[in-house]
């Protein structure tokens, strides 16, 4: 406990609060800029179990703001969840850290059930709506965070106590801007993550959260706090009197999504499956270019695109925004 001595001296946490932190399990969805910053602070704070799920791998564009990763991670295209796990375990070897390479989706229900709190480290509305419905269904609080350019915001969402993400939809920014399209600066990331982590510690030791949304522009030194407690809707499909959890409905076939600002299409089978990358690489090695296989993913060039295939059957098709083209290439070279 000596490593947490300064934190224990902070009276709102103290000895009992530190014990609660060591017994807590936090799920972090997304290991990008916000996910990295939250994960490091929570690991150093002594959260007993941290699970990180992320669908992407480390590349050179991440290194300016995603603080856990190194040039070696980018050279080797290490999946972010694995790289984060490796670095966090060096930071704090006394806690349980698990990285999951995958897309957070309606198939992620099992990893949610065991969590005491969910941290939002994502960059898209679709995943946040899934987080929200999953959290409402299982009665697990989550802390939303968003950052782009020099602007950031965060709000805490607790089932049956606060408005949910669906309730707040009309009041949250919805311009569709991402750091891939308009950029972001690291100080804004750190500010959002600091608010998120403070709320996480507060909830885990006391069960309390703030009832306001916080937003700011760190470049302009503008800051705003809004009480959102009155925005809870009785007819909300996610947290109202008769919730239907609309974002937890299963579909069929391949699901495609154009990733904002990246000239990339993600392909995901509706049913998660485990692919043998070694077997697929043997089949493809004579018909594709620059084939590389790691324990977590394989990449190759075909036609005018680069495909990165993960073990769960998910793929990133770099070099196109055409979903039908991406689907055709996936079906031809991977199957399904």
């Amino acid at each position: 406990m000596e490593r947490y001595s300064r934190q224990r001296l902070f009276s709102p946490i103290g000895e009992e609060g530190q014990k609660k932190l060591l017994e807590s399990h936090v799920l972090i969805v997304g290991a990008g800029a916000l996910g990295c910053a939250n994960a490091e602070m929570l690991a150093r704070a002594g959260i007993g179990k941290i699970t990180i799920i992320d669908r992407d791998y480390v590349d050179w564009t991440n290194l300016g703001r995603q603080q856990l990763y190194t040039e070696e991670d980018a050279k080797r295209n290490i999946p972010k969840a694995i790289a984060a796990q490796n670095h966090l375990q060096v930071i704090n070897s006394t806690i349980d850290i698990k990285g999951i390479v995958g897309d957070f989706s309606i198939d992620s229900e099992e990893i949610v059930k065991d969590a005491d709190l969910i941290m939002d480290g994502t960059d898209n509305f679709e995943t946040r709506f899934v987080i929200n419905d999953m959290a409402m269904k299982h009665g697990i609080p989550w802390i939303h965070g968003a950052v782009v350019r020099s602007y950031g915001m965060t709000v805490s969402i607790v089932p049956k106590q606060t408005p949910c993400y669906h309730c707040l939809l009309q009041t949250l920014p919805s311009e569709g801007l991402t750091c891939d399209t308009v950029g972001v600066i690291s100080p804004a990331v750190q500010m959002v993550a600091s608010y998120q982590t403070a709320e996480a510690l507060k909830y885990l030791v006391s069960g309390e959260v703030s009832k306001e949304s916080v937003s700011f522009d760190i470049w302009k030194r503008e800051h705003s706090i809004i009480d959102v407690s009155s925005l809870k809707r009785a007819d909300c499909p996610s947290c109202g009197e008769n919730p239907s959890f609309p974002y937890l409905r299963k579909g069929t076939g391949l699901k495609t999504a154009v990733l904002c600002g990246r000239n990339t299409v993600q392909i995901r089978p509706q049913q998660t499956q485990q692919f043998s990358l070694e077997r697929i690489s043997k089949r493809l090695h004579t018909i594709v270019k620059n084939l590389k296989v790691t324990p977590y993913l394989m990449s190759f060039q075909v036609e005018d695109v680069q495909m990165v295939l993960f073990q769960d059957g998910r793929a990133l098709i770099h070099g196109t925004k055409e979903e039908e083209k991406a689907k055709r290439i996936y079906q031809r070279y991977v199957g399904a």
Side-chain angles (χ1 to χ4, degrees):
M1 294 283 281
E2 182 180 358
R3 71 186 300 155
Y4 310 117
S5 61
R6 301 303 186 271
Q7 189 164 276
R8 284 163 32 224
L9 288 172
F10 179 59
S11 58
I13 294 179
E15 295 285 348
E16 290 304 311
Q18 189 62 53
K19 290 178 182 178
K20 290 180 180 178
L21 296 180
L22 289 167
E23 295 169 354
S24 297
H25 176 197
V26 174
L27 169 63
I28 301 175
V29 181
L34 288 178
C36 278
N38 276 300
E40 181 174 343
M41 283 189 277
L42 291 171
R44 292 185 185 278
I47 301 302
K49 182 177 181 180
I50 298 174
T51 300
I52 305 168
I53 181 169
D54 189 277
R55 65 189 182 185
D56 209 350
Y57 56 89
V58 182
D59 68 38
W60 292 96
T61 67
N62 302 145
L63 301 182
R65 67 193 184 284
Q66 299 181 17
Q67 63 190 48
L68 282 179
Y69 307 133
T70 66
E71 291 185 357
E72 188 62 25
D73 295 325
K75 288 176 185 176
R76 297 170 57 198
N77 291 143
I78 302 294
K80 291 181 180 180
I82 301 302
Q85 172 187 299
N86 293 341
H87 294 306
L88 291 171
Q89 207 68 77
V90 175
I91 289 170
N92 191 342
S93 63
T94 69
I95 62 175
D96 181 9
I97 302 169
K98 182 179 182 181
I100 299 174
V101 182
D103 203 16
F104 186 85
S105 69
I106 57 178
D107 296 319
S108 305
E109 199 155 2
E110 287 304 313
I111 66 172
V112 169
K113 291 178 181 178
D114 184 46
D116 298 303
L117 180 70
I118 303 171
M119 300 294 282
D120 173 18
T122 69
D123 61 358
N124 66 88
F125 286 101
E126 180 187 10
T127 305
R128 288 176 181 135
F129 280 121
V130 176
I131 294 173
N132 186 69
D133 275 14
M134 203 88 77
M136 296 306 105
K137 180 179 178 180
H138 294 286
I140 301 170
W142 70 286
I143 301 175
H144 165 55
V147 61
V148 68
R149 295 187 296 209
S150 56
Y151 171 85
M153 70 86 57
T154 180
V155 64
S156 299
I157 297 171
V158 182
K160 298 182 179 179
Q161 291 187 33
T162 70
C164 78
Y165 192 71
H166 207 139
C167 295
L168 296 172
L169 183 61
Q170 301 303 317
T171 62
L172 295 175
S174 58
E175 298 176 82
L177 302 178
T178 73
C179 61
D180 293 309
T181 57
V182 296
V184 66
I185 57 172
S186 184
V189 172
Q190 300 303 317
M191 181 73 81
V192 174
S194 294
Y195 274 113
Q196 284 184 285
T197 301
E199 283 290 285
L201 298 178
K202 186 192 305 181
Y203 174 77
L204 293 171
V205 301
S206 71
E208 300 293 327
V209 295
S210 301
K211 301 299 193 296
E212 302 89 12
S213 71
V214 175
S215 61
F216 62 86
D217 188 317
I218 198 167
W219 195 266
K220 298 178 181 178
R221 294 200 173 190
E222 296 174 350
H223 195 269
S224 174
I225 298 177
I226 301 174
D227 187 339
V228 297
S229 56
S230 64
L231 300 178
K232 186 170 175 58
R233 293 169 40 201
D235 63 344
C236 175
S238 296
C239 74
E241 295 174 355
N242 298 293
S244 60
F245 309 119
Y247 295 94
L248 299 185
R249 295 169 185 163
K250 284 185 177 288
T252 59
L254 293 174
K255 186 174 184 180
T256 62
V258 179
L259 303 187
C260 291
R262 294 183 58 181
N263 196 29
T264 297
V265 175
Q266 176 177 260
I267 303 281
R268 177 165 59 83
Q270 288 292 349
Q271 298 298 322
T272 301
Q273 45 193 305
Q274 289 298 308
F275 282 24
S276 169
L277 300 181
E278 198 65 39
R279 179 177 57 79
I280 295 174
S281 68
K282 289 179 180 178
R283 174 167 58 83
L284 296 181
H285 80 278
T286 60
I287 58 175
V288 301
K289 297 178 180 178
N290 300 325
L291 178 65
K292 298 178 182 178
V293 183
T294 78
Y296 311 105
L297 56 83
M298 65 181 291
S299 65
F300 56 87
Q301 289 181 314
V302 65
E303 299 183 20
D304 59 346
V305 302
Q306 179 187 25
M307 175 183 286
V308 178
L309 177 67
F310 297 86
Q311 286 182 318
D312 61 1
R314 188 171 46 85
L316 299 176
I317 315 296
H318 299 293
T320 184
K321 294 182 180 179
E322 299 177 33
E323 294 177 71
E324 288 303 315
K325 175 182 177 179
K327 187 183 295 186
R328 173 183 60 77
I329 290 173
Y330 181 96
Q331 291 171 326
R332 178 177 179 183
Y333 293 95
V334 179

